[in-house]
Structures are given as structure tokens and as C-alpha cells.
Amino acid sequence: MKNYNRLIILSFAACMAISSCQNKDDMIFDYDASAPVISKAVVDVDAVRYGESVEYTVAAKDANALSHLRIEMTVNGETVYSKTVAADRRQEMEVSESIGIPFGSNCLDCTASLEVVAMNSNAKVTGQVVEISVARPDFQKIYLVADGVETELVNAEDPLNPYLFKGSVDIANGTEAFLFSEPGQKGYAWGFDEGTNTCSLDSKEPVKLEDSLSEDGKVHEVTFDALTFEILPLKREMSVNDVAFMKYRRNPSDEGFVNNALCAKNVALAEGEEVRLSLIDLESVKFDPDYFTEADGKLIYNGKTGTVNLYMNTLFGFVFVESDENPIQTGLSYPDILLCNGWGIGRPELWSYQPDWNFNNALILRKIAESDDETVYSQTAVVSKWANFKFYSSRDWGGEFPCPEIVFDTADFVAHEESGKPGNYNIYTALEDDTEWKSAVIKIVFRISKAGSSYKMQSEILATSNQD
């Protein structure tokens, strides 16, 4: 039934795209007597290893006219290949192609599925699934290359982890290394991904080995998990509840990491409980006071119990919170949230809000209070001293709150007419060019009166930096 439903979904997806190990017991589903016929669905091998390729040949025919063929390969629950081929109303068609089975972390032996859907011009479909066995590479040893010396890591024969390899070394802390699956720097080659703090077959960067507990400043043993690609020892990182702050990419496809920011993802926090910190000095790192309080040298979480992402902006030593109650991006709209759109304001980094004046990148202010008299919104953000912005009730131009009518409770901000645009007012920082800081972490509170057009902006500077 699972494959049946999946094939129906595939046929629908393929239809939308057009308009815009073979098993002896292969399953064939005919949904209608007038549906097309899959006359061939074969692969050149019954079993394959990760990293190898499989070639398929698929053919279909229809008494009237075919619409298309859809072919999809799924391995370990992930789609590794997907293709839709238009038939141009032919009665018969055949497609052949090679598919590489990618190898990466957490790849276990499994059964892969080559799923085929044929649709005719009357939107009738037939589907077929061909199953292929996929096996892990059989690593006899792993080879560590550090300082030009190759060291064998042998299977540790750990009953709890059959993929664990160990080897003895004598190298200084901070030594850079690579891993290989074959001697002579051949076979699979692992570098290091700072975004996951694990080795990666896609990285060309070396891993830096460091034993923080070593008394002589050297590394004497290296372990490598050939399933998860985790390697030890590594330099200890700042962490919250055992989740490390690491470099991260804004988008998975980005080549580089975000500048001046680290992220601890999926941190489990409980309201009112102490947060476990490692290598974090609360005198130099400040956590968002809307969600954390310090008492007797301890950090207490005051937000709702759940899983959150924490972003440490290293320019300020300030930790921002992303959670269900405080999203960085959301599908909610006013009056549940308030939008702040402009240039030089954002969180946890100003990079998040480029290009400027883009509603897709608008800063989200959450609603923190509502009474018969007013609605109150708040957010803590990074603000450049050259920032200019407005508050909006909609994700489009025209929904702005008029800047000249806003009352500011401090001298940090001012409403000013934009140069060259008479009548167009923005909010600017009221700072002179010679200020000691160029950007700051500022808590912003915006109050909207229910009695009429009365608005108030409150601000509190929490941290500053001489960089922007």
C-alpha cells in the first residue's frame, strides 16, 4: 500500500512537471484497463555498493498516446535521482540512463527502489517498482595521513559499534590530517566539515586533531566512526546542554559559512531550569535577557519548554534565540506579529537581511502583551549605526506606520525625511559619525495605541561593537 500511494503521488508530480537488483516479484499496479503498459523495467545489476552506479532501462507503450515517463530512485528514504521524460504523444518510448548511488554518513545496507510511472494522454497511469540491494563499502582499515605520515586505524571490535576504528599516533595538538579508505592516499577521502563538526567526503579542508585533556599537548590516539564520520579528538567547543556552537551556512547550498556567528541547533531547554554551559564565560557572553536570567553564576531559561536554536553573534558576545515563540521567519501576519523592514537591522546577523528593504527578510517583532488600551511588540536585533527602517502591518508597501507620528523614548532613534524624497520618512539612529561603536544589539519595543494613531518606540542597548 505504501508503494501504491507513492506511485500515485509520483504520477501527479510528473503530470505537474509536464504541464509546467531487479526483483523477481516486481510489483505492477494497473489503475485502469485503459492505462499504459510498462513493457520493460530492468536494471543491469541486482545488488550494488554505495559509490557505484546502476543502469536502468525503462520502456512503455499505449494504444493511443503516451504523455510521459517518470523515473525515481530512492535510497535510505531519500530521493537520489528523479527524471520526467515527455513522450510527445508517441505510442511507445524507451529510456536508459546510469544512476550513481551516493555514499555519505549514516548510510546503512538497504533496499533501494527504482520507481517508474507511465501516464498516457488520458491521464491514466501504470506504475512499477524495481528493488535493488545496496551495501556499504567493506572497510578493512582507515588510513590517517598527518604530517606526511600514514597511520592505520583498525577496527576496534567494539560490540556496541562495529564501525569504530582506532589507531595510535604521536602528534602535536592542532595537527592537520585527512582520512582515506585505502593506503597511499587512495579510495575514499575524508576532509572536515566545520558546519557538522564531522568528517565529510565533500570537504577538502583538513581535520585539526586536538586533545584538550592531554598533559603533554599531544594527541596519542585517534578514533573514527565509519558510519557517522565522527572523529576524535577534536578541540572542545562552547556548548549549551551538551550541544556545541558551530559554524553554519545560511543555506545548505552556500559554499561559505556565516561570518561572525555560531549556531547551536536543536537545544532542548526546560522553563525554569538551569542551563548547562561548557567553555562559556557569562561575564563575556550575554544571553538574550527576554529568555534567560543569571543568578548566582547560573543561567536560567525562562522561555517555553521545547527545542530551540541558539545563535551566538561573536562580534557582541550575544546569544539570540530562535524558537516557535520567537521565529526568525514565520507565516504569521499582523496583528499576531509586526514587521520591521529596512536596511541595517536584523538578527542574529545583518547578513540575514540582505538585500535591504525586502519583506521576505523583514525583522519579526513578536506580540508580547495586549490590553484594552494597546498592543505591544518586541524583538532584540543587531542594528547598524547607519540603519534606516520602518514598521509595517503588512508584507507589502503601504502598510507602514507613519514615522513622524512615532514617539521615541530615548535619543537613540529619530524619524527623519529621506534625502531626495520629500515626504518620505524613515527611522534612523540618532548617532554622530564619531561614536565609539558602529553597530549594537538593541532591544526594541513598539507600542500601538488602540485609541487612535499613537505609536511609541522604546529601545535599550544591550551590547555594542566597533565593527559593522
Side-chain angles (χ1 to χ4, degrees):
M1 178 61 76
K2 182 178 179 181
N3 282 327
Y4 181 89
N5 293 335
R6 182 174 175 81
L7 288 167
I8 292 176
I9 295 171
L10 282 173
S11 63
F12 175 77
C15 184
M16 295 298 291
I18 292 297
S19 62
S20 55
C21 177
Q22 182 185 7
N23 195 307
K24 298 295 183 182
D25 299 320
D26 292 340
M27 295 164 283
I28 300 179
F29 306 95
D30 292 305
Y31 310 121
D32 190 279
S34 61
V37 175
I38 296 177
S39 54
K40 183 187 291 185
V42 298
V43 291
D44 62 341
V45 291
D46 295 331
V48 68
R49 287 189 182 275
Y50 289 101
E52 297 177 345
S53 297
V54 58
E55 185 169 328
Y56 70 82
T57 300
V58 173
K61 58 185 179 181
D62 188 79
N64 297 308
L66 289 167
S67 170
H68 63 266
L69 273 175
R70 173 84 169 179
I71 306 103
E72 186 168 299
M73 172 73 81
T74 303
V75 183
N76 270 326
E78 295 188 8
T79 300
V80 300
Y81 174 90
S82 181
K83 186 171 186 175
T84 300
V85 184
D88 298 326
R89 301 188 65 82
R90 287 175 289 172
Q91 290 183 306
E92 297 185 14
M93 66 181 300
E94 182 172 303
V95 179
S96 296
E97 196 161 296
S98 180
I99 304 174
I101 310 298
F103 178 56
S105 61
N106 298 304
C107 284
L108 293 167
D109 294 350
C110 71
T111 299
S113 298
L114 181 72
E115 302 172 353
V116 182
V117 171
M119 179 180 286
N120 65 16
S121 57
N122 295 320
K124 303 298 184 181
V125 298
T126 299
Q128 183 169 346
V129 177
V130 180
E131 294 184 336
I132 308 160
S133 296
V134 182
R136 287 178 50 82
D138 184 17
F139 299 127
Q140 299 300 312
K141 297 178 180 179
I142 300 295
Y143 299 86
L144 175 80
V145 177
D147 281 343
V149 177
E150 184 174 271
T151 301
E152 294 181 355
L153 307 185
V154 299
N155 193 287
E157 298 183 359
D158 186 332
L160 299 178
N161 185 357
Y163 307 104
L164 190 65
F165 289 78
K166 289 185 178 182
S168 297
V169 295
D170 186 19
I171 55 179
N173 277 340
T175 298
E176 297 181 345
F178 289 95
L179 294 170
F180 299 88
S181 62
E182 298 177 14
Q185 301 184 33
K186 297 180 180 179
Y188 288 108
W190 288 270
F192 191 71
D193 184 350
E194 291 182 308
T196 61
N197 223 33
T198 63
C199 290
S200 169
L201 293 170
D202 297 323
S203 175
K204 304 298 182 183
E205 298 298 320
V207 56
K208 291 185 178 180
L209 300 170
E210 182 167 336
D211 185 351
S212 302
L213 302 178
S214 173
E215 295 182 356
D216 61 359
K218 288 187 175 184
V219 175
H220 296 288
E221 183 180 69
V222 175
T223 63
F224 176 67
D225 189 319
L227 178 64
T228 64
F229 293 177
E230 294 175 300
I231 188 170
L232 292 174
L234 296 174
K235 180 180 179 181
R236 294 175 63 198
E237 304 290 347
M238 294 181 291
S239 66
V240 175
N241 281 6
D242 301 322
V243 180
F245 280 99
M246 297 185 294
K247 294 182 179 181
Y248 66 99
R249 297 176 176 86
R250 183 185 182 192
N251 302 300
S253 59
D254 292 347
E255 291 186 4
F257 295 103
V258 174
N259 291 325
N260 305 318
L262 303 171
C263 180
K265 295 184 178 180
N266 300 320
V267 181
L269 296 174
E271 182 177 0
E273 291 191 1
E274 180 183 356
V275 180
R276 299 189 307 277
L277 303 177
S278 176
L279 302 180
I280 296 177
D281 182 359
L282 291 178
E283 292 186 1
S284 57
V285 176
K286 186 179 183 66
F287 286 71
D288 190 336
D290 282 349
Y291 293 92
F292 297 90
T293 55
E294 295 180 33
D296 300 324
K298 298 179 180 179
L299 186 68
I300 308 300
Y301 176 65
N302 299 318
K304 294 181 179 179
T305 298
T307 300
V308 308
N309 293 332
L310 300 178
Y311 295 87
M312 181 185 295
N313 190 308
T314 55
L315 283 182
F316 306 97
F318 190 91
V319 177
F320 293 89
V321 177
E322 177 188 21
S323 63
D324 289 341
E325 62 177 322
N326 190 35
I328 290 179
Q329 293 183 328
T330 180
L332 296 176
S333 57
Y334 183 82
D336 295 318
I337 54 98
L338 183 70
L339 300 171
C340 177
N341 192 10
W343 181 90
I345 183 169
R347 76 179 180 105
E349 262 276 334
L350 294 180
W351 60 264
S352 300
Y353 298 86
Q354 302 297 331
D356 58 296
W357 292 96
N358 184 330
F359 281 99
N360 292 327
N361 296 329
L363 178 70
I364 306 298
L365 278 73
R366 66 191 183 282
K367 183 193 295 187
I368 61 171
E370 186 170 16
S371 66
D372 293 337
D373 300 322
E374 65 176 2
T375 305
V376 185
Y377 300 88
S378 179
Q379 190 54 266
T380 301
V382 180
V383 182
S384 165
K385 68 178 291 184
W386 295 283
N388 59 94
F389 55 89
K390 296 179 182 179
F391 295 100
Y392 291 83
S393 62
S394 66
R395 297 178 186 270
D396 200 357
W397 309 113
E400 65 187 65
F401 291 87
C403 297
E405 298 179 16
I406 298 174
V407 176
F408 300 94
D409 78 329
T410 69
D412 297 328
F413 293 93
V414 63
H416 188 72
E417 190 174 43
E418 187 174 359
S419 177
K421 296 183 179 181
N424 185 48
Y425 284 78
N426 294 331
I427 299 173
Y428 295 83
T429 60
L431 300 173
E432 300 296 332
D433 291 340
D434 59 352
T435 53
E436 294 182 357
W437 57 271
K438 294 182 180 179
S439 58
V441 175
I442 301 179
K443 178 179 178 179
I444 296 173
V445 176
F446 194 74
R447 298 178 177 272
I448 302 174
S449 172
K450 293 184 177 181
S453 299
S454 176
Y455 317 107
K456 183 176 182 179
M457 177 178 166
Q458 299 170 294
S459 59
E460 178 185 1
I461 297 176
L462 303 178
T464 63
S465 171
N466 60 4
Q467 300 182 55
D468 189 12

